[in-house]
Amino acid sequence: MRYISTRGGINPIPFKDAVMMGLASDGGLLLPQSYPSVTREQLESWRGLSYPELAFEVISRFVDDIPDDDLKSLIIRSYATFTHPDVTPLVKYDGVYILELFHGVTLAFKDVALQFLGNLFEYILAERKQTLNIIGATSGDTGSAAIHGVRGKKGISIFILHPHGKTSAVQAMQMTSVTDANVHNIAVRGTFDDCQDMVKELFGDLDFKEKYSLGAVNSINWARVLAQVVYYFYAWLRVTDQTEAPVHFSVPTGNFGDIFAGYVAKRMGLPVDKLLLATNENNILTRFINASDYSLGGVVSTVSPSMDIQIASNFERYLFHLFAENSDRVKEAFAELKEHGRISCSLAEMAQVRKDFCSASVDQAATLQTIRNFYAETGYLLDPHTAVGVKAALDLLPPDSARVCLATAHPAKFSETVEQSLGFQVPVPESVKELYGKPTRCELMDADIDKIREFFVANVG
Ligand SMILES: *Cc1c(COP(=O)(O)O)cnc(C)c1O
C-alpha cells in the first residue's frame, strides 16, 4: 500500500513515511492509492472479534511496512487506555443507536485516533533514531487528546497553545494536569486564532521547522482517519447483530475527519446506506451539500465549539475523489477558493455529492432543546455535539431504519451547556473528579511570537 497526495506532487510513499509526513510536502493531503475491499463474507467472519482484534483487521489492510505482531501490540496498548470493555459501546434509546466514542482518557472521540497516533510516532521514531517536537494550537479537545496521546513517550516533546480562560474548565484541567517532562502547556492571553496564527508562523519558518524537527497533530494525519474507520465497522457489526434494517450514520462534523472515515469504510464495502453530515451554525458543508454553495463566511461561536470551523481541512480528501482523483481539478478548486472565497462544482459532481452524503444544520436553540427532549424521553444525557447529530438524524433519517449517531464527547466535558439546558448538575465521572486538586504545569504568556519561540527553544527536548 502506497500513499499519494491530493495535489499530485509527491512520489508514492509507504505508510510509515505518510505518518511522519502528516501534511503532504506539496501542500496536499495524503491518501492511499486504492482502498482495500472487504467482502460480505469477511465482514461476517469479523462478528466475534473484540475491538482491538477488529482494529487490527481493518488497519493492517492499509499498512505493509510494520510487522503484524508489532502493529497488534501498538493497537492493543492504544485501546487498553479506554475505560469501557467494548472501547466504543453501542447503546439504543428511543429508536436511535448511540455510538459512545468518549470512553478514552479525555472523554472525546479524538482519543480513539490520538492514542494510536502517539504509540505509532514513538514506534517509528525509535526505529529511525529520530526525535519529534509537536507544536499545536487548540480550542480544547484536540490539544488535550494529543497531550494524553504522547505524554511520557520517548523521542517526542509536545507544546500546546490554548487561549487562556477560553476553553471549558474540564478541558483546561485535562491539559495542565499533565506534568510529564515532555509536555509543555502554554496558556496564551488571546484568542484561539492568535494561538493558531503563531503556530502557523513557526511552521512557516522552514529553517526553524527543519532544525527542530517540528511536527503537527491536527486532523490531517492519515493515521488519525484510519483509526476512526474502525468504529464504523464495529458499530455496523453490533447493529446488524440486532436488526436487518438499512444502517445510516449521523456524524457531528467540524474538520470533516470523522465523516471522511465513514466514507472510507463505505468505499471499502461496508454496507452503509446514508452518511448524514450534521453541522451547527457554521454550516458551509451543509450549504454545499444541500444548495451547491461552498462560500466562506465568518466563524461564529456556538455551544458545540469543536465544530466551530469554516474551512474543514479533511474536505480536500473527499474533493480529490469527487474530482475522479484529478489533482489539477483539486488545485483549481483551491485556487478559486483563495481568489473568490468559494468552490464551484458541476451538476454531475453535485449529483455525486448527494449520493455520498445528506446534511442538516442544527442551531443552538434546537441543540439545547434536543438535549432536554432526549433526556425527558430516555433519561440519557447528550453532549451538545452529539445532540447536533441526534437532532439531524431524527429529522432526516427514516424511523424504521437503523440510525447510528456518533457520540463524540461525554456530557460532563461540556457540563456548562448541558446544565444550562437541563437546569440541574450532570453527574461527574471519576476521571474528572480526580482532576480537581491535581498539581498543574502551565506557562501563561502574551500572544507574542518572539516570546513563544524563546520558550520553545529553551524547553525543546
Ligand atoms: C473534533 C470534534 C468534532 C468534529 O470532528 P471532525 O473530525 O473535526 O469533523 C465533533 N465533536 C467533538 C466533541 C469534537 O471534539
Side-chain angles (χ1 to χ4, degrees):
M1 177 69 70
R2 292 288 179 277
Y3 291 83
I4 53 173
S5 165
T6 51
R7 307 267 172 126
I10 66 164
N11 289 321
I13 54 174
F15 176 75
K16 283 188 289 195
D17 291 346
V19 173
M20 296 317 291
M21 191 177 273
L23 186 71
S25 50
D26 64 354
L29 299 189
L30 295 167
L31 279 172
Q33 273 182 318
S34 63
Y35 292 106
S37 60
V38 173
T39 62
R40 191 63 188 242
E41 221 177 346
Q42 254 159 350
L43 258 179
E44 289 304 328
S45 76
W46 289 350
R47 242 176 232 292
L49 300 185
S50 68
Y51 189 95
E53 288 166 344
L54 179 68
F56 175 76
E57 291 300 330
V58 174
I59 292 173
S60 61
R61 280 168 167 70
F62 291 87
V63 182
D64 53 18
D65 54 353
I66 297 178
D68 282 358
D69 284 344
D70 291 358
L71 185 60
K72 260 183 206 156
S73 137
L74 286 175
I75 291 171
I76 290 171
R77 278 191 284 131
S78 302
Y79 299 110
T81 61
F82 281 64
T83 54
H84 197 287
D86 296 345
V87 180
T88 62
L90 186 80
V91 296
K92 189 181 182 191
Y93 289 97
D94 242 18
V96 188
Y97 293 89
I98 308 272
L99 181 63
E100 294 185 341
L101 301 174
F102 51 71
H103 294 281
V105 266
T106 72
L107 307 177
F109 85 96
K110 291 184 172 75
D111 292 324
V112 177
L114 284 164
Q115 287 291 310
F116 178 60
L117 186 63
N119 285 319
L120 203 51
F121 274 150
E122 185 180 49
Y123 177 84
I124 301 172
L125 289 168
E127 201 176 59
R128 299 185 172 179
K129 301 187 171 51
Q130 291 173 350
T131 56
L132 179 68
N133 291 299
I134 293 169
I135 302 189
T138 187
S139 59
D141 274 358
T142 305
S144 53
I147 285 170
H148 285 266
V150 306
R151 66 183 297 181
K153 296 255 185 296
K154 289 189 263 323
I156 311 177
S157 292
I158 187 166
F159 295 77
I160 294 290
L161 281 63
H162 70 265
H164 180 58
K166 294 193 176 75
T167 66
S168 85
V170 172
Q171 285 174 327
M173 284 190 294
Q174 283 177 339
M175 292 190 277
T176 60
S177 65
V178 179
T179 54
D180 299 64
N182 71 330
V183 173
H184 305 278
N185 278 289
I186 303 168
V188 173
R189 290 191 194 88
T191 63
F192 170 63
D193 286 337
D194 293 332
C195 298
Q196 182 110 306
D197 289 345
M198 290 192 289
V199 169
K200 274 193 192 148
E201 201 169 325
L202 292 176
F203 275 99
D205 181 345
L206 295 183
D207 292 336
F208 186 81
K209 182 172 176 226
E210 180 90 3
K211 181 169 176 201
Y212 291 104
S213 333
L214 296 197
V217 281
N218 44 20
S219 64
I220 45 92
N221 198 300
W222 167 253
R224 283 185 65 176
V225 174
L226 179 55
Q228 290 168 217
V229 173
V230 175
Y231 52 69
Y232 285 90
F233 279 86
Y234 190 79
W236 185 90
L237 289 165
R238 295 296 76 82
V239 169
T240 54
D241 283 342
Q242 305 173 43
T243 172
E244 289 180 359
V247 180
H248 312 290
F249 284 92
S250 178
V251 188
T253 299
N255 253 324
F256 204 81
D258 208 357
I259 193 152
F260 186 75
Y263 173 82
V264 171
K266 206 173 163 179
R267 298 258 324 207
M268 291 173 72
L270 189 72
V272 174
D273 207 281
K274 284 208 165 64
L275 287 170
L276 167 52
L277 185 156
T279 57
N280 60 25
E281 281 95 332
N282 298 287
N283 61 3
I284 180 168
L285 292 169
T286 301
R287 280 190 278 116
F288 174 65
I289 293 166
N290 294 348
S292 314
D293 169 23
Y294 191 93
S295 58
L296 292 179
V299 178
V300 297
S301 299
T302 73
V303 291
S304 44
S306 299
M307 294 156 65
D308 293 348
I309 287 166
Q310 273 289 318
I311 300 199
S313 45
N314 275 290
F315 190 55
E316 177 164 345
R317 288 195 159 108
Y318 173 67
L319 286 180
F320 180 68
H321 292 309
L322 178 64
F323 299 155
E325 288 82 44
N326 178 346
S327 298
D328 290 331
R329 176 76 181 93
V330 173
K331 284 189 268 192
E332 195 182 284
F334 282 94
E336 186 193 358
L337 185 66
K338 198 165 177 194
E339 206 173 319
H340 303 291
R342 67 177 136 75
I343 290 175
S344 318
C345 286
S346 70
L347 286 176
E349 286 163 351
M350 285 315 305
Q352 182 61 44
V353 169
R354 290 179 194 124
K355 262 194 210 152
D356 293 331
F357 303 102
C358 58
S359 187
S361 165
V362 176
D363 68 17
Q364 301 198 69
T367 303
L368 296 174
Q369 188 65 45
T370 302
I371 295 173
R372 267 195 298 277
N373 291 352
F374 207 78
Y375 181 75
E377 275 155 39
T378 67
Y380 187 85
L381 291 170
L382 298 172
D383 109 283
H385 304 80
T386 307
V388 168
V390 167
K391 170 68 175 156
L394 292 173
D395 285 353
L396 251 62
L397 300 175
D400 57 350
S401 64
R403 301 174 288 187
V404 183
C405 299
L406 271 51
T408 52
H410 191 289
K413 190 157 194 185
F414 297 93
S415 54
E416 292 93 337
T417 300
V418 180
E419 283 164 13
Q420 176 198 340
S421 167
L422 292 171
F424 62 82
Q425 279 199 319
V426 305
V428 182
E430 269 324 298
S431 68
V432 172
K433 276 188 204 149
E434 285 166 8
L435 288 174
Y436 290 88
K438 263 196 182 175
T440 60
R441 193 155 58 83
C442 181
E443 197 72 20
L444 180 60
M445 298 181 73
D446 288 330
D448 175 342
I449 181 74
D450 294 326
K451 294 259 168 59
I452 302 274
R453 196 186 288 109
E454 251 168 54
F455 178 82
F456 173 81
V457 171
N459 289 281
V460 76

